[in-house]
Amino acid sequence: MSIAFLITVLLSPIFIPFLRKLKFGQSIREEGPQSHMKKTGTPTMGGVMIVVSIIITTLIMTAKFEQTNWFYSPSFLLIFVLFSYGFLGFLDDFIKVALKRNLGLTSKQKMFGQVLIAIIFYVILHMNDFPTYIAIPGTGLQFDLGLGYGVLVVLMIVGASNAVNLTDGLDGLLAGTAAIAFGVFGILAWYGVPQFEVTIFSLAVVGALLGFLVFNAHPAKVFMGDTGSLALGAAIAAIAILTKLEILLVIIGGVFVLETLSVIIQVISFKTTGKRVFRMSPLHHHYELKGWSEWRVVTTFWLVGLLFAALAVYIEVWVS
């Protein structure tokens, strides 16, 4: 964790001015909160630093493990998902900031890439005879989904990447909540039958995010962009799959779930009744428009993330 933290902290003062020199600044959508317009031009694509830091740290810390076939190892699978989704997010960010197309990749292009990467991830799992059951937390019950497990894997990875992406809307919001979620998975991957590579990767993410938070906390000097958010979302789903904690992801990623539900509820309500449930979605914008300061919203969501994390540990460790 400390290695990833140091890499990110040392890399940021070099990379941020580089992004500023290239004029890779964030474009703020006009339909968002007007208070965010002052953030226009803040360097984005900081997720590159996060992804690079995580990969380097993971490779260094797992080099001592003897691998009969690294292609099937948890380290490879997690790095593959992280890098692939990070690259997809990079393309999206690059189109936004370099080509000045505010929406980046089209929704169809992005979805195609997300689904394709998730399918490849599942195929590798299948080739390695990965178990296709899901376990109900706190009960000891298991259900074998057979081929349906592949559908679940794709839905989890694509869904988590988009849910985490929706959460990236305020300074430090995603970095903090994601650090908490990955930290919990790092603990649970160590608990029971230890999965050392998953633990190392998870803690590398925590270190990278804490290092990034030094420059991303309000007022942010850099944003992670889709490069970081898509990569983090896919990675946390991959960890849940590899640790067989698929259902517990809903609790550990509770903040991401709430953010996504707020968007779904808002869209359904507006299309069916013409009325909005929230002043603005995702949920963090709702509280902003209610008069909360950005820092208050962020710290409150961090606290909610900690509560979800505690609940998940309680269910998995004490109830089980």
Side-chain angles (χ1 to χ4, degrees), residues 23 35 39 41 47 51 68 84 90 92 128 134 138 148 171 196 207 216 226 256 260 266 295 297-298 317:
K23 297 183 179 180
S35 60
K39 300 182 181 184
V51 172
T68 55
S84 299
F90 175 84
D92 192 41
N128 199 33
I134 58 171
D171 297 353
F196 298 113
N216 182 241
D226 285 1
F256 313 136
T260 304
Q266 186 86 322
W295 184 240
V297 176
V298 170
V317 176

Side-chain angles (χ1 to χ4, degrees), residues 7-28:
I7 291 174
T8 308
V9 168
L10 294 175
L11 190 61
S12 295
I14 301 172
F15 194 62
I16 294 173
F18 177 70
L19 291 173
R20 190 175 290 112
K21 184 177 180 180
L22 294 176
K23 297 183 179 180
F24 283 1
Q26 180 71 46
S27 297
I28 306 299

Side-chain angles (χ1 to χ4, degrees), residues 70-270:
W70 191 69
F71 181 73
Y72 293 116
S73 71
S75 296
F76 170 80
L77 287 167
L78 291 171
I79 289 175
F80 165 73
V81 169
L82 180 82
F83 176 81
S84 299
Y85 270 79
F87 182 71
L88 183 66
F90 175 84
L91 292 177
D92 192 41
D93 287 334
F94 186 80
I95 291 172
K96 291 176 183 176
V97 299
L99 303 183
K100 307 301 179 184
R101 203 173 85 192
N102 194 36
L103 295 179
L105 292 171
T106 66
S107 57
K108 290 183 179 180
Q109 290 171 335
K110 191 182 294 185
M111 181 59 67
F112 175 79
Q114 290 175 307
V115 171
L116 178 62
I117 296 166
I119 290 175
I120 294 173
F121 175 81
Y122 171 70
V123 169
I124 297 174
L125 287 180
H126 184 69
M127 291 170 61
N128 199 33
D129 296 322
F130 191 78
T132 57
Y133 70 85
I134 58 171
I136 308 300
T139 66
L141 297 175
Q142 296 180 353
F143 298 94
D144 195 330
L145 301 181
L147 293 177
Y149 189 74
V151 177
L152 177 64
V153 167
V154 173
L155 290 176
M156 283 182 63
I157 294 179
V158 174
S161 66
N162 286 304
V164 170
N165 181 250
L166 287 173
T167 308
D168 187 26
L170 300 178
D171 297 353
L173 176 58
L174 178 54
T177 52
I180 293 168
F182 277 96
V184 174
F185 271 117
I187 293 171
L188 295 180
W190 186 274
Y191 175 76
V193 180
Q195 298 189 45
F196 298 113
E197 291 179 67
V198 178
T199 297
I200 287 170
F201 180 90
S202 299
L203 296 182
V205 176
V206 174
L209 288 173
L210 292 179
F212 183 75
L213 195 56
V214 173
F215 303 90
N216 182 241
H218 185 71
K221 298 179 179 63
V222 64
F223 300 137
M224 69 172 68
D226 285 1
T227 306
S229 59
L230 291 181
L232 292 171
I236 198 169
I239 288 174
I241 292 164
L242 292 175
T243 54
K244 302 305 296 176
L245 297 173
E246 296 94 342
I247 295 179
L248 211 60
L249 175 62
V250 178
I251 298 176
I252 295 175
V255 171
F256 313 136
V257 173
L258 292 176
E259 293 273 41
T260 304
L261 286 175
S262 71
V263 174
I264 295 173
I265 292 171
Q266 186 86 322
V267 171
I268 293 176
S269 176
F270 187 74

